[in-house]
Amino acid sequence: MEYLSATIITRNEERNLERCLNALKGVADEIIVVDSYSTDRTTEICKRYGCKVTSREFQGFGSQRQYATGLTTHSYVLSIDADEVIDDTLRQQIIKLKEQGFEHRVYSITVRNYFCGQPINHSGFEQTRRVRLFNKRYANWNMRSVSDSVDIPGGVEPQPLPGSIHHYRCASIEEFIKKENRIAALEAKMLANSCRSISPVTPLFMASLQYIKAQLLHHAWLDGAHGFAIAGRRAKTTFEAYRMAIHLLKENKQLSKS
């Protein structure tokens, strides 16, 4: 019998948490929660379910997830978000792996996305396979603030698992906008750190490119009204990220002169 740690990073997730934690019963032998100083009942709920809760200022998704991984007791780690749920097929498969032993270092799992309660098949939110179950001795999260992923050694091929993680991205447009505003701020910092200068026309150009990409490459129009909402909001997120990055670069230049 092998043991498994699950990690969750949180910030005001009281609406989603119990759904996520209930699905982990009998799967995770410990649940590590790294919370970014929630102001709702998030930590209270986590403690009621027996989670080990640590508070830490949010420093980007990759950094936060790797910090959570570092707190785990067991070698194998399942990384899941508070707004995600493992389905019964995946649940039974992981239990089977624990009983028989993990034969691979890393496993990939299908992630299915939902927007305002509806499944999304396009728009850049189409289902994809991601490494979410891994041996922490051989794999680690990268340090990206956005678009984080698990880095694995060259030559190691993730073993696909049956079943899915269902990702409920938002319950309303308002919630989606709040999350996108947060992403825009993170992306702005990344841009400001990686660019020496950004042209004033770049925000509009990149936002337009993002919208075209969503519609033509990811076929957002096939998701109907939700697809157009996602494409439009993602374009605005891109615009705001570059606009804020320009402002940050100006501030950095002023500080360097003073």
Side-chain angles (χ1 to χ4, degrees):
M1 180 72 177
E2 296 205 41
Y3 297 95
L4 177 72
S5 299
T7 61
I8 307 174
I9 60 174
T10 59
R11 166 70 180 174
N12 293 338
E13 293 284 359
E14 65 176 7
R15 185 179 60 81
N16 296 309
L17 258 175
E18 294 196 70
R19 179 178 57 189
C20 174
L21 294 173
N22 281 324
L24 292 175
K25 287 181 178 178
V27 175
D29 298 288
E30 70 170 358
I31 301 175
I32 303 296
V33 175
V34 176
D35 181 72
S36 301
Y37 298 99
S38 294
T39 56
D40 63 2
R41 295 171 53 248
T42 292
T43 57
E44 175 190 332
I45 294 169
C46 288
K47 290 175 182 177
R48 178 154 42 91
Y49 276 79
C51 304
K52 299 176 183 178
V53 182
T54 299
S55 296
R56 183 183 191 244
E57 195 69 38
F58 186 80
Q59 298 178 20
F61 288 102
S63 173
Q64 208 77 345
R65 295 190 207 282
Q66 184 56 36
Y67 183 80
T69 300
L71 296 177
T72 58
T73 303
H74 309 302
S75 296
Y76 276 86
V77 178
L78 172 67
S79 176
I80 190 166
D81 285 343
D83 58 358
E84 295 178 334
V85 182
I86 63 171
D87 65 14
D88 193 58
T89 300
L90 178 59
R91 172 186 168 82
Q92 295 303 322
Q93 183 63 32
I94 295 176
I95 291 174
K96 182 179 178 181
L97 284 174
K98 289 176 59 181
E99 292 172 348
Q100 298 179 353
F102 295 101
E103 297 180 352
H104 299 269
R105 296 175 181 178
V106 295
Y107 296 85
S108 65
I109 301 170
T110 297
V111 179
R112 302 179 186 275
N113 290 290
Y114 296 79
F115 183 84
C116 296
Q118 298 299 314
I120 297 296
N121 299 312
H122 309 281
S123 307
F125 288 171
E126 52 268 23
Q127 70 178 44
T128 184
R129 278 200 164 270
R130 298 189 181 278
V131 173
R132 290 296 195 87
L133 176 59
F134 56 91
N135 187 322
K136 65 184 181 183
R137 291 178 294 177
Y138 301 99
N140 292 290
W141 288 95
N142 61 35
M143 293 295 107
R144 294 175 192 158
S145 296
V146 185
S147 301
D148 54 323
S149 60
V150 177
D151 288 335
I152 58 178
V156 175
E157 198 68 32
Q159 176 69 17
L161 288 178
S164 302
I165 291 176
H166 297 271
H167 185 185
Y168 298 93
R169 286 181 170 268
C170 62
S172 65
I173 296 293
E174 291 74 22
E175 183 183 354
F176 181 57
I177 290 173
K178 286 181 181 179
K179 289 186 175 182
E180 288 294 301
N181 286 339
R182 189 182 185 192
I183 289 173
L186 291 171
E187 289 181 342
K189 290 180 181 179
M190 292 173 60
L191 288 166
N193 289 333
S194 62
C195 300
R196 290 186 177 181
S197 63
I198 299 174
S199 168
V201 301
T202 299
L204 183 58
F205 174 78
M206 295 303 295
S208 300
L209 198 63
Q210 174 65 41
Y211 186 81
I212 293 170
K213 179 182 176 181
Q215 292 291 3
L216 298 184
L217 184 61
H218 295 292
H219 307 105
W221 56 276
L222 290 174
D223 286 319
H226 284 161
F228 281 96
I230 292 169
R233 183 59 225 187
R234 288 298 296 141
K236 184 172 176 56
T237 296
T238 301
F239 179 88
E240 290 298 328
Y242 278 91
R243 184 188 64 80
M244 287 188 286
I246 291 173
H247 181 71
L248 289 172
L249 285 170
K250 287 180 179 178
E251 285 186 341
N252 292 339
K253 286 180 181 179
Q254 290 174 353
L255 287 173
S256 63
K257 290 178 181 179
S258 61

